Amino acid sequence: MRNSVKGMVLAALLSGSVCTGAYGDVGLVGDACEAGWNRDIPELFDDAGNGMWTWEGFLSGGKEFKFIGNVGTWDAWVPENAGTVVSGSCVHKLNYYTAKNGVADNKFRLAADAYVRITVNVNEHTARFEYPYFYLCGTATRNGWDNANAEPVFGMEWTGMLYGSADEVRDFKILQLRGKWTPCWNAAASNEELTDGDHVIRYNTGNNGVSDHKFRVTASGLYTLKITFSESGDRLSVSRAAAPDLRGAFRANPGLMMVAYDHNASQAWFGRIPQQLYIGTGASGSKELPRIGEGDFEGEVQLEPGRYHLSGNLRDWSAGCFSPVGDVPLNGGSTEAIVPYDNDGGYFVVAQEGRYFIKAHLANASEWGGVLYPGTPSVSGVLEQTDGIDAVGTDADGHNATVSAANGVITVTGHGNAPVAVYNIAGVKLGSTPQTRVAPGVYIVAVGDKLTKIAVK
């Protein structure tokens, strides 16, 4: 039976039916956004891969919006409940609405005007709303002293470009609200230079006597800023990455390379396409994916719950890493936002122990008009068999049968009128009821004419 299941999995991957592309792109429409109720030109979400779509921007409070699931139609991802109001960082369950499926055409509203980041997961039918913790504003940032377009920071730590000068004043402060100068956090001293290490910051309500001091940036670069609030005093921890030397040309040994550009950090990351590829949390205990071609790897591996990277270098795991741009589940779809680094990148998340069939295409290409064009790197994973549970198909009565094992008992559910039998690996029949107590080991379970193998611990 496992061979037949594997064959179906492979066929589904090749045809693309495992992915959620049947819904099409995800787009934002409604009175709350600039697109209005234009189903033909919505504000499109970015495809983060594996059924996850992200959008970031300003929404008007008190006005309705929803997420188009197929551009040009009113099919949409909508909240489960009518009149759903979003007032802070949260997750809401979604239904998929069409004109004929009986789902209510509900809408979202924000409680107030806000800049938000929204992640729609079409696999789990959820929408995650995230509000910025604070904003950076000043001539050291991309948008200058325009507080209506201050740089949003999601979380207590931010990594990005700050622009400095030794000759002219380039400075910034930290706003609590976009579009408002106070409350904010100021430097402790006037024109305090932003250097590596910890800096005291003062919370300024606008009427508590705190001076409106700014941090001065004297050198452009990639900075990491982290805010810590405590009774002993609020602090801003600063670290600046070493500046790259861009004199001359880029040089590399011959071979395929992957390049990713980080817009926020204004940096390019280069990674050589490896000859071997491993999945793991580090070099120790990692598992190799067989190589089937230049930049192509695929195979089955047993994985436990955890957060994984791919790497082509066991001697320097981080230097050879390939990561998604954000955390994505490994099971159930294709992730195309793959980057050749692990710093600030995400993980392939495994939620359930089992055997996974993984395909990594790091050097996709297509030929057109006699020219070879690079394609988008992708990684896909399918959970083929879990540890202790296996779906065995559908019997003649249309029941979906599932076999599970727990506490030394093999249990069959959803089998309808189909006969059940449990055998050891020697072929000896041990039971013919929906529940059979067995010793630890490997067993064959027959449900009707379907067979499955299950391990009992």
Side-chain angles (χ1 to χ4, degrees):
M1 177 194 174
R2 297 310 308 164
N3 288 335
S4 64
V5 170
K6 179 178 178 182
M8 288 188 288
V9 170
L10 285 173
L13 280 171
L14 292 172
S15 68
S17 60
V18 168
C19 303
T20 55
Y23 295 117
D25 293 331
V26 176
L28 177 69
V29 295
D31 295 326
C33 65
E34 291 185 0
W37 291 106
N38 190 335
R39 63 184 181 182
D40 297 314
I41 313 178
E43 296 189 27
L44 289 177
F45 280 55
D46 292 326
D47 184 358
N50 227 2
M52 299 178 71
W53 300 77
T54 62
W55 178 89
E56 190 175 303
F58 179 83
L59 291 176
S60 299
K63 297 182 178 180
E64 294 184 330
F65 62 94
K66 64 179 180 179
F67 313 123
I68 289 288
N70 275 299
V71 175
T73 77
W74 287 119
D75 297 351
W77 294 100
V78 298
E80 285 188 329
N81 301 313
T84 297
V85 177
V86 179
S87 58
S89 297
C90 57
V91 177
H92 287 277
K93 292 292 291 182
L94 300 174
N95 288 328
Y96 194 67
Y97 162 82
T98 71
K100 299 179 180 179
N101 67 353
V103 171
D105 188 18
N106 297 325
K107 314 292 194 304
F108 284 106
R109 296 174 185 263
L110 293 192
D113 292 355
Y115 189 95
V116 295
R117 181 164 64 192
I118 305 172
T119 302
V120 171
N121 188 326
V122 300
N123 291 335
E124 298 182 0
H125 294 197
T126 59
R128 177 181 297 276
F129 294 83
E130 297 175 85
Y131 282 59
Y133 280 67
F134 48 87
Y135 300 85
L136 303 180
C137 189
T139 54
T141 68
R142 288 182 293 185
N143 295 321
W145 287 110
D146 179 4
N147 64 8
N149 288 298
E151 185 89 22
V153 178
F154 295 92
M156 303 304 290
E157 184 173 312
W158 174 86
T159 297
M161 283 296 296
L162 291 176
Y163 304 95
S165 172
D167 302 321
E168 61 177 308
V169 175
R170 291 292 189 94
D171 53 7
F172 74 94
K173 64 179 179 179
I174 303 167
L175 306 181
Q176 185 171 349
L177 301 171
R178 205 176 206 201
K180 295 183 180 295
W181 293 117
T182 57
C184 64
W185 287 268
N186 293 108
S190 178
N191 291 320
E192 182 174 343
E193 185 176 351
L194 191 74
T195 57
D196 282 5
D198 288 349
H199 296 260
V200 174
I201 52 176
R202 309 290 190 193
Y203 188 61
N204 184 351
T205 63
N207 56 13
N208 63 346
V210 174
S211 298
D212 192 28
H213 298 320
K214 285 88 173 177
F215 285 104
R216 182 171 181 179
V217 181
T218 58
S220 298
L222 181 68
Y223 287 81
T224 296
L225 308 180
K226 182 178 180 180
I227 287 186
T228 304
F229 300 127
S230 68
E231 294 182 359
S232 61
D234 299 338
R235 308 190 75 82
L236 178 69
S237 299
V238 180
S239 63
R240 178 172 177 261
D245 186 353
L246 297 180
R247 293 172 295 181
F250 292 105
R251 297 184 182 275
N253 294 327
L256 290 174
M257 301 287 293
M258 184 192 298
V259 182
Y261 179 67
D262 185 342
H263 288 274
N264 188 44
S266 295
Q267 284 194 344
W269 299 84
F270 296 84
R272 183 170 298 283
I273 302 299
Q275 296 301 303
Q276 292 85 34
L277 189 65
Y278 306 84
I279 184 169
T281 57
S284 178
S286 63
K287 299 177 181 180
E288 185 173 3
L289 294 175
R291 181 176 182 269
I292 62 170
E294 189 69 37
D296 288 347
F297 306 85
E298 63 180 56
E300 295 180 351
V301 292
Q302 183 75 21
L303 298 176
E304 297 179 352
R307 304 169 75 198
Y308 293 86
H309 280 139
L310 299 172
S311 180
N313 190 342
L314 292 182
R315 288 176 294 180
D316 191 346
W317 181 266
S318 294
C321 263
F322 295 88
S323 310
V325 294
D327 288 0
V328 296
L330 179 63
N331 180 41
S334 178
T335 301
E336 295 186 341
I338 306 298
V339 289
Y341 64 98
D342 62 345
N343 294 331
D344 294 328
Y347 293 85
F348 297 102
V349 180
V350 172
Q352 188 171 10
E353 182 179 355
R355 189 170 67 247
Y356 289 78
F357 184 80
I358 302 172
K359 301 177 72 172
H361 297 305
L362 303 181
N364 280 343
S366 59
E367 185 174 338
W368 186 77
V371 179
L372 192 65
Y373 292 91
T376 303
S378 68
V379 175
S380 62
V382 174
L383 177 58
E384 290 200 302
Q385 183 173 346
T386 62
D387 181 35
I389 185 168
D390 192 17
V392 300
T394 305
D395 68 6
D397 294 329
H399 296 84
N400 189 30
T402 299
V403 178
S404 60
N407 301 319
V409 177
I410 295 175
T411 301
V412 180
T413 58
H415 59 286
N417 296 323
V420 174
V422 177
Y423 302 87
N424 62 19
I425 57 175
V428 177
K429 186 175 181 180
L430 305 177
S432 57
T433 61
Q435 289 191 317
T436 306
R437 181 168 294 279
V438 295
V442 178
Y443 297 88
I444 304 297
V445 181
V447 181
D449 61 354
K450 305 291 186 181
L451 298 177
T452 190
K453 183 169 63 175
I454 192 165
V456 179
K457 296 183 177 180

